[in-house]
Each structure stands twice: as structure tokens, then as C-alpha cells.
Amino acid sequence: RMKTLVIGGGLSGLAVADGLQASAQEFLLIDARDRFGGRMETACAGETRFDLGPAWFWPGQPRMASLVSRLGLTKFAQFATGELVYEDEHGHVRRGLGYSSMEGSWRIESGFTALTDAMEQRISPQSKMLNAHVKRLEFRKERCAAILGDGREVSSDQVVLAMPPRIAANIEFSPKLPASSYAYLRAVPTWMAGQAKVVAVYQSSFWRDSGLSGDAMSRRGPMVEIHDASPKTGGPCALFGFVGIAPQARLNKEALREAAVDQLVRLFGEDAAEPTALFVKDWATDPLTATPLDAAMAQAHPTYGLPSSLRGLQHGRLIFAGTEVAPHYGGYLEGALEAAEAALACLAKRKAA
């Protein structure tokens, strides 16, 4: 039986592992972090989890809908009732200029780590490993060897790299990959790697009482876009915002936190002045997500997919997964599952050959 090493335990890697387990294939899923889930991360306030990474999926994304259903999780619609708040570059705040921009999107009860936790729990303990940072991949005549940062070696027949291409480019390959492959890996922007999110937690959703949806757009910042992040029912409740200033300009987290609260007060009133918790997650400073190349924030949705330069490498023993190589839904959670599906099809073809 062929053994597959899956490197990267985010949604795509977990989906590859899930597929291999379902077909009784031998595999090992490893991740450099001390947790599985990759860019799906949550923060806890009391018993409630708030998403620090992806927060939504959408109708018309069949793989996500099917997975959520199969795992027995509860989806609910993004809160969208009420007016949007707009702040211009001078700090003038206006209401009633529109309604929720995320209306129609789905969230998951207990946050998106409920999804990755459920997937990880299905994998047997001997088939997964954390704190395993791959420094080097050697494709020898008979076997593939992954050399870890602590000197350990993991052996397999084939490797699935389920990680952002720019992170994959940091691995040392033997034999070396073609120059065109390296060039492509480095050129692909990592989805949301330049992003930072602020989540402000409150005892109640006071904005809803004022007829507001929790949505806001701002040209003054630091947050450019804000949404309601409250659970389906109960509390605590929350607002979250995407930070719009460049990674280099937001290194002072204390200043960022203060500016974010000041902005929430301008937009939503004095009730926003004292959040019970305030979480900041800057993905640009997460070395397992972002590289220095990702410091330039993407201004538009990048073009993703799996080019010919990443196919058939190391005699077909190196296969790429991860949302950045998905041809149709690249950048989305649906894309992570789409890429996993393609990787599993590739592995099945190798097994049959």
C-alpha cells in the first residue's frame, strides 16, 4: 500500500486526509503548528468562539454545504437586518446609505474551527502529527523523505503539499524543482495573508437596538469594513473589522487596539467604548501563513489555479493542494475543498497506475 504524507493541516489538508481515510489508504497528516486548522482560527470569550480567519461561506458552494451537513454542524445566516454606517476620510459618520453587504452569506455555529476540529477528530491518532515543521523534502529513488526542523525524518511514497505556495517555496527540495515552478510558487499571493482582523466583544448587540446591522464602511480607519460577529443566539456578542492599514504600519498592536475602539465609538456610539474582550489577529505576522512577499496587500482577488509548472513534479510524487491552486474557487474555503478533491483524484490515478 502506498503511504501518502500530507503536509499542512488546514482545511485542504484535512480534506485530503479525510478522503484517504475513507478509502482505507495509509497516510500521515502533519502540521508545523501546535493545532490543526491553518487559517481557520477562533478566539474564545466565555463559551463563545469568534472567527479570526474566514468567517463565511456562500450559497452556490456545494462542497462546503455538503461538508457542514455531513459533520452535523449548524449553519446560520449572517445578521443583515438594519442600516449600514459609513465614515468618510474626515471622520464624518452617516447612516442609512445601504444595507448589509454580506447578506446571504452563511456562518457556522461555534465558528469555523468547529469544522476543522470535527474533521481532525475523525483522524486516528497514529495518522496525524503536530509541531512538525518540514525543512527539506528529498525524493529518493524508492522513497520520499521529509526532514523536520528537529532532525526527525518522515518517510512516504508520495507527498501532498497543502499549504500556501509561498510557504511551500521555503522548503528545500532535492532534486531541486524547475526554475519555472519556484517562480510560480513565489508569485502567488497567499489568500488573506496581508489581512488583520479585530474582534470587539460586548455583553449585548446594542447596535441592533438602534436599527443598525453592525455593518460599516470607513475611509478613516484603521478598520475599512466592519460586520456583526455575534452568535446565532445568546451572547456575548461582537463586531469584527478588517484592518485596512498596511502590515508595516500596524506593528504597534496597543495603538491599533486603541484606534479600533475609538473608531467603533465614532461609528456605533458610546456603548462601544468598553468591549469585554478585544482580539487582534494579524495574519501578516504569522510565519506559517505569510512571507515578506505578502506584506503588499492584494487590491483585487488574485488569479489562482494549478499551472503546468506545478504538475507532475518529482515523477508525479509531489502533489499540490490548498485554496491557492483551486481553479474555480481559489481563495475561498470552497477552493480548499476543490483543491483537495483534485489532489485525491491525482492520488487515485497514481494508485491505479
Side-chain angles (χ1 to χ4, degrees), residues 52 62 104 118 149 225 236 247:
L52 300 176
E225 189 183 316

Side-chain angles (χ1 to χ4, degrees), residues 178-305:
S180 60
S181 305
Y182 278 119
Y184 187 84
L185 289 174
R186 292 198 176 96
V188 179
T190 305
W191 182 247
M192 72 174 234
Q195 293 280 359
K197 283 180 82 169
V198 175
V199 180
V201 181
Y202 300 96
Q203 290 298 344
S204 68
S205 52
F206 57 85
W207 53 94
R208 297 184 185 182
D209 301 334
S210 308
L212 302 176
S213 62
D215 275 64
M217 300 290 174
S218 171
R219 297 185 65 184
R220 189 171 178 197
M223 295 177 285
V224 288
E225 189 183 316
I226 295 167
H227 302 281
D228 187 308
S230 307
K232 184 183 178 185
T233 55
C237 301
L239 294 163
F240 91 83
F242 293 107
V243 177
I245 52 178
Q248 304 89 325
R250 59 183 193 231
L251 296 174
N252 183 338
K253 292 296 179 279
E254 203 44 56
L256 175 62
R257 293 161 73 91
E258 281 180 28
V261 172
D262 288 346
Q263 183 181 18
L264 289 169
V265 170
R266 293 197 304 272
L267 293 166
F268 298 102
E270 284 301 324
D271 286 335
E274 293 189 18
T276 57
L278 189 71
F279 303 106
V280 176
K281 174 62 183 184
D282 193 336
W283 290 97
T285 59
D286 184 332
L288 297 175
T289 298
T291 72
L293 291 168
D294 292 304
M297 293 164 72
Q299 298 305 308
H301 197 106
T303 301
Y304 289 132

Side-chain angles (χ1 to χ4, degrees), residues 139 144 158-159 161 173 175-182 185 306-320 346 350:
F139 291 85
C144 311
Q158 54 203 354
V159 175
L161 276 184
F173 292 90
K176 280 190 161 69
L177 301 183
S180 60
S181 305
Y182 278 119
L185 289 174
L306 187 67
S308 57
S309 62
L310 295 188
R311 296 174 193 265
L313 294 172
Q314 309 292 14
H315 301 288
R317 294 184 291 167
L318 178 62
I319 296 162
F320 286 86
C346 208
R350 275 182 55 75

Side-chain angles (χ1 to χ4, degrees), residues 81-126:
T81 305
E83 295 180 340
L84 178 143
V85 181
Y86 174 76
E87 179 182 41
D88 69 18
E89 58 269 35
H90 306 296
H92 298 141
V93 174
R94 295 161 70 191
R95 296 180 175 183
L97 295 180
Y99 294 91
S100 174
S101 56
M102 286 299 152
E103 186 168 7
S105 61
W106 294 108
R107 294 177 52 212
I108 291 183
E109 215 167 86
S110 298
F112 273 94
T113 53
L115 186 82
T116 50
D117 287 352
M119 293 175 82
E120 187 246 318
Q121 282 157 20
R122 291 153 63 100
I123 298 168
S124 58
Q126 67 269 25

Side-chain angles (χ1 to χ4, degrees), residues 131-150:
N131 301 302
H133 196 284
V134 176
K135 292 288 190 187
R136 181 177 167 87
L137 276 175
E138 296 180 1
F139 291 85
R140 300 166 183 166
K141 194 174 181 184
E142 300 296 330
R143 304 285 284 161
C144 311
I147 317 301
L148 306 185
D150 58 7

Side-chain angles (χ1 to χ4, degrees), residues 11 40-42 49-51 53-57 64 68 73 106-118 333:
L11 180 58
M40 292 158 96
E41 188 178 348
T42 48
R49 289 186 189 180
F50 298 99
D51 286 304
W56 303 289
F57 72 103
M64 278 297 296
V68 168
L73 299 173
W106 294 108
R107 294 177 52 212
I108 291 183
E109 215 167 86
S110 298
F112 273 94
T113 53
L115 186 82
T116 50
D117 287 352
L333 299 174

